[in-house]
Amino acid sequence: MSTAKIRLYVEHPLGQGQTVPLDRDHAHYLFGVMRQGTGDAVLLFNGHDGEWRATVAQASKRSGELLVEDQTRPQQNPPDLWLLFAPIKKARTDFIVEKAAEMGAARIIPVQTDFTNSERIRQDRLQAHAVEAAEQCGGTYVPEVTDLHKLDRLLADWPEERKLMFCDEALAGEREAVHTDERANPWAILIGPEGGFSDAERARLHALPFAHPTALGPRILRADTAAVAAMTVWQQRFGDWT
Amino acid sequence: MSTAKIRLYVEHPLGQGQTVPLDRDHAHYLFGVMRQGTGDAVLLFNGHDGEWRATVAQASKRSGELLVEDQTRPQQNPPDLWLLFAPIKKARTDFIVEKAAEMGAARIIPVQTDFTNSERIRQDRLQAHAVEAAEQCGGTYVPEVTDLHKLDRLLADWPEERKLMFCDEALAGEREAVHTDERANPWAILIGPEGGFSDAERARLHALPFAHPTALGPRILRADTAAVAAMTVWQQRFGDWT
């Protein structure tokens, strides 16, 4: 029995004895790039049936078929954590999405703030980054990347039971990380744009009953660093790291 | 009095009334790129005299002079933390150095492991990234980036009082973050290469009396994500985040 090293996300039910047809991209990747052939094993997950070992039943340049054999890992959903961030330069935005998937966010919401430059994002491209990160990190879940939302509207419609860890760089060095023990609640983390929040946004955020202003150490972190640091703090305190 | 928004690292003593000559790169950046002129203010730090406000006394295309006026922040050195990491693809290596500076490492040591591809690094380029990150994050200290070291030799000459937080991706999901309260000691964090540690390295690392094997949650993190997550864990527990 060959050991599977390749992990693929597929949009297909997974269960013992299932056959999974491969689309052109997956066939090209598996057989062209990775030089796999009939009988070779790959790991599959679809976001809700756990991880399964499958073997190549048919291989051609542009298509193929896998046969699902046995479950290698049960489904594990991440904690109910949203990551809200203001899109920045392309490479760093890609990194934030990748890191949110690795760190176990359930949903990734790009937000437009007063000082955000982006008017639009490529949601499909960001979603593809999340899939790739999930394949790489061994998770069985792919976080959903939503379209760009205006922060003020999102806050106006906020579900009150969801706590918001609001990372305010203006607090750098002034306050310890998030003070609360509300482990049971769903949460969201909000990372500000590179230019910080506007005074109006900051005042509004500090006044919200569900918001927990949080400092991430004494230095000012770039948005992508802050995203990983905030998710680390959160996962250790409330999430699936303990 | 104009407010300074630009921060520069200079290799020059800083104190009230000092004049600081600008090299060609700094003059080009300040006067060409940032359109500053005589009387405009900048913030300066040199890694040991704290942060100072200075004003432009002379400006020309290729040179210039600043007059140091008053101290805006005392010198703050980071905790005695080394970050050891195995260099990976260029962009991610640059990110790790940048993030180590933002997260407050005192020294950054690229290491060659059994599964590291790089035979050499551009130390000067990585050091420049650390300077840029220090300028951006508001710190008054620039971590030293060393040349590439072989991990086995580094461990053979290891100073015994320095604890090593060894982030082993093989432990993913198995063990909580670092178990110890040795706050007083100097520390180092070791992040493995993308391909993981070799069995020989892992056995050796687990046997070292100063090593603390540590898991960073249930998913496998890329090296740059792991570096930020590990420094967050460390700074919260032992460092300057509390």
Side-chain angles (χ1 to χ4, degrees):
Chain A
M1 188 167 106
S2 62
T3 313
K5 288 196 173 160
I6 299 168
R7 291 184 92 240
L8 290 182
Y9 170 78
V10 292
E11 289 182 346
H12 197 277
L14 296 173
Q16 201 154 22
Q18 279 271 6
T19 54
V20 176
L22 290 173
D23 63 23
R24 197 170 160 152
D25 286 351
H26 275 159
H28 170 71
Y29 173 72
L30 270 187
F31 311 133
V33 180
M34 300 305 285
R35 304 277 164 195
Q36 302 294 293
T38 311
D40 286 337
V42 295
L43 296 172
L44 301 179
F45 66 105
N46 62 7
H48 42 89
D49 293 328
E51 181 189 77
W52 293 76
R53 187 176 168 281
T55 51
V56 177
Q58 282 175 42
S60 79
K61 261 191 175 169
R62 294 180 188 177
S63 66
E65 207 171 75
L66 303 175
L67 176 65
V68 180
E69 306 210 329
D70 39 37
Q71 194 176 41
T72 45
R73 200 182 290 213
Q75 179 62 30
Q76 270 197 308
N77 293 329
D80 188 359
L81 173 67
W82 297 354
L83 179 72
L84 281 61
F85 77 101
I88 37 180
K89 284 183 225 157
K90 183 178 167 301
R92 288 189 193 266
T93 298
D94 293 353
F95 265 68
I96 289 181
V97 168
E98 173 191 297
K99 268 109 197 69
E102 290 176 38
M103 294 296 300
R107 179 181 284 187
I108 301 168
I109 307 178
V111 292
Q112 209 175 347
T113 65
D114 290 347
F115 295 160
T116 307
N117 291 320
S118 323
E119 298 287 308
R120 39 197 285 260
I121 54 157
R122 285 281 309 274
Q123 188 276 337
D124 56 339
R125 208 173 47 77
L126 295 181
Q127 186 65 64
H129 273 289
V131 168
E132 203 181 303
E135 288 175 340
Q136 179 271 328
C137 76
T140 50
Y141 182 86
V142 178
E144 175 203 6
V145 183
T146 72
D147 272 324
L148 189 64
H149 286 71
K150 281 195 200 299
L151 179 62
D152 54 0
R153 279 203 220 148
L154 203 63
L155 294 176
D157 297 334
W158 194 260
E160 291 252 337
E161 75 284 4
R162 185 174 294 270
K163 301 286 167 193
L164 181 68
M165 179 172 156
F166 145 52
C167 300
D168 187 354
E169 66 177 37
L171 295 175
E174 284 183 23
R175 185 193 290 235
E176 207 193 332
V178 63
H179 283 282
T180 174
D181 271 315
E182 316 218 28
R183 184 184 273 266
N185 294 97
W187 273 87
I189 292 173
L190 169 61
I191 304 292
E194 299 272 293
F197 292 103
S198 70
D199 288 342
E201 280 170 338
R202 182 169 285 117
R204 181 176 182 189
L205 283 161
H206 277 275
L208 292 170
F210 49 83
H212 294 259
T214 302
L216 299 168
R219 288 160 294 272
I220 293 169
L221 307 180
R222 282 186 197 264
D224 53 336
T225 316
V228 177
M231 288 187 285
T232 303
V233 168
W234 190 89
Q235 288 287 18
Q236 282 199 117
R237 190 105 29 130
F238 307 113
D240 65 9
W241 277 35
T242 46
Chain B
M1 188 168 106
S2 62
T3 312
K5 288 197 172 160
I6 299 167
R7 290 184 92 240
L8 290 181
Y9 171 78
V10 292
E11 289 183 345
H12 197 277
L14 296 173
Q16 200 155 23
Q18 279 271 7
T19 54
V20 177
L22 290 173
D23 63 22
R24 194 169 160 154
D25 287 350
H26 274 159
H28 171 71
Y29 173 72
L30 271 186
F31 311 133
V33 180
M34 300 303 287
R35 304 277 164 194
Q36 301 293 293
T38 312
D40 286 336
V42 295
L43 296 172
L44 302 179
F45 66 105
N46 61 8
H48 42 89
D49 293 328
E51 181 189 79
W52 293 77
R53 187 176 168 280
T55 50
V56 177
Q58 282 177 41
S60 80
K61 260 191 177 172
R62 294 180 187 179
S63 66
E65 207 170 75
L66 302 175
L67 177 66
V68 180
E69 305 209 332
D70 38 36
Q71 195 175 39
T72 45
R73 202 182 289 212
Q75 179 62 29
Q76 270 198 306
N77 293 330
D80 187 358
L81 173 67
W82 297 352
L83 179 73
L84 281 60
F85 77 101
I88 37 179
K89 283 183 226 155
K90 184 179 166 299
R92 288 189 194 267
T93 299
D94 293 352
F95 264 67
I96 289 181
V97 169
E98 173 191 297
K99 268 110 197 67
E102 290 176 38
M103 294 295 300
R107 179 182 283 189
I108 301 167
I109 308 179
V111 293
Q112 210 175 347
T113 65
D114 291 346
F115 295 160
T116 308
N117 291 320
S118 323
E119 297 287 307
R120 40 197 284 261
I121 53 156
R122 284 281 309 274
Q123 187 277 335
D124 55 339
R125 206 172 48 77
L126 295 181
Q127 186 64 66
H129 273 290
V131 168
E132 203 179 303
E135 288 175 341
Q136 180 270 328
C137 76
T140 49
Y141 182 87
V142 178
E144 175 203 4
V145 183
T146 72
D147 271 324
L148 190 64
H149 284 72
K150 279 195 200 300
L151 179 62
D152 54 0
R153 281 204 219 147
L154 203 63
L155 294 176
D157 297 335
W158 194 260
E160 292 252 337
E161 77 283 4
R162 186 176 293 272
K163 302 286 168 194
L164 181 68
M165 178 173 156
F166 145 53
C167 300
D168 187 355
E169 65 177 39
L171 295 175
E174 284 184 22
R175 185 191 290 235
E176 205 193 333
V178 64
H179 283 283
T180 174
D181 270 316
E182 316 218 29
R183 185 185 272 267
N185 295 96
W187 274 87
I189 292 172
L190 170 62
I191 304 293
E194 298 271 297
F197 293 104
S198 70
D199 289 343
E201 280 171 339
R202 181 168 286 117
R204 181 176 182 189
L205 282 161
H206 277 275
L208 292 171
F210 49 82
H212 295 259
T214 303
L216 298 169
R219 287 159 295 271
I220 294 170
L221 307 180
R222 282 185 197 264
D224 52 335
T225 316
V228 177
M231 288 186 284
T232 303
V233 169
W234 190 89
Q235 287 287 17
Q236 281 200 118
R237 190 107 26 133
F238 307 113
D240 65 8
W241 276 35
T242 46

